Amino acid sequence: MKMTYKVEELKDYLKKHGIRPSTIRLKILQYLLENRIHPTAEDIYKSLINDIPTLSKTSVYNTLDLFLEKGVVNTLSLKEKELRYDINTYLHGHFKCEVCGKVYDFPVTDKILEVNELEGFTIKSIDINAYGICKKCNEKIKNNKEEE
């Protein structure tokens, strides 16, 4: 079920993070909240260009950089050249399907931080990424083999 957000909610969210709301920032935030697909800047641009004909790729990148600086998004690269953006800034892992390319979130507990070998270290971020074949693709592969 896709959540929808009111403009006032989006404005409050940006203000809470110290960001002055603008049309582009509100649209990008709304896109990220309503499409939790870990998009690239290019994905966001292509999705919003029809709604905002004056949108430039530079504006998308600048907005995402600001969101990153203010803690609204995190980035992930997942063995790719392009960065993906994640509106979920809480500790969690990512699974990337090698067949369909979709990225899924999965829960991770903070117990992972209890590593004796890192005592005295300062951990600033954690990336937990898994790669393989998602459930949907596994089912398709299984069904295709059964048909043969």
Side-chain angles (χ1 to χ4, degrees):
M1 184 173 153
K2 192 173 178 178
M3 298 258 322
T4 56
Y5 297 86
K6 295 178 181 155
V7 174
E8 283 309 311
E9 291 175 307
L10 298 171
K11 284 181 179 179
D12 289 345
Y13 188 89
L14 290 178
K15 288 176 187 174
K16 187 174 92 181
H17 285 85
I19 299 172
R20 186 181 53 77
S22 69
T23 302
I24 290 171
R25 291 172 182 170
L26 291 167
K27 286 286 192 183
I28 291 174
L29 176 62
Q30 182 176 20
Y31 177 83
L32 289 166
L33 288 167
E34 293 178 359
N35 300 279
R36 295 182 181 239
I37 57 171
H38 309 88
T40 63
E42 185 73 19
D43 295 333
I44 295 167
Y45 174 77
K46 286 178 181 176
S47 294
L48 297 179
I49 189 64
N50 289 334
D51 286 345
I52 313 170
T54 58
L55 183 67
S56 69
K57 288 182 184 179
T58 302
S59 295
V60 173
Y61 279 104
N62 288 343
T63 298
L64 291 169
D65 286 345
L66 177 63
F67 284 6
L68 184 61
E69 177 189 321
K70 299 291 187 173
V72 173
V73 296
N74 283 331
T75 57
L76 56 146
S77 60
L78 299 172
K79 297 182 183 176
E80 300 171 343
K81 291 181 182 177
E82 287 186 307
L83 282 180
R84 292 176 171 266
Y85 295 86
D86 193 352
I87 194 76
N88 181 353
T89 58
Y90 296 101
L91 179 62
H92 66 283
H94 295 101
F95 177 92
K96 180 169 184 192
C97 179
E98 297 169 344
V99 176
C100 67
K102 287 185 181 171
V103 179
Y104 299 86
D105 289 344
F106 62 88
V108 174
T109 68
D110 57 359
K111 298 282 184 223
I112 198 148
L113 298 175
E114 295 177 13
V115 180
N116 291 334
E117 289 82 8
L118 296 178
E119 192 171 320
F121 287 63
T122 301
I123 299 171
K124 293 192 173 189
S125 69
I126 296 176
D127 294 323
I128 300 169
N129 301 320
Y131 304 89
I133 302 171
C134 72
K135 188 176 181 178
K136 272 187 179 178
C137 289
N138 268 328
E139 287 172 4
K140 285 180 188 175
I141 291 167
K142 181 183 169 197
N143 290 338
N144 285 341
K145 286 183 180 178
E146 287 175 0
E147 291 175 7
E148 292 175 359

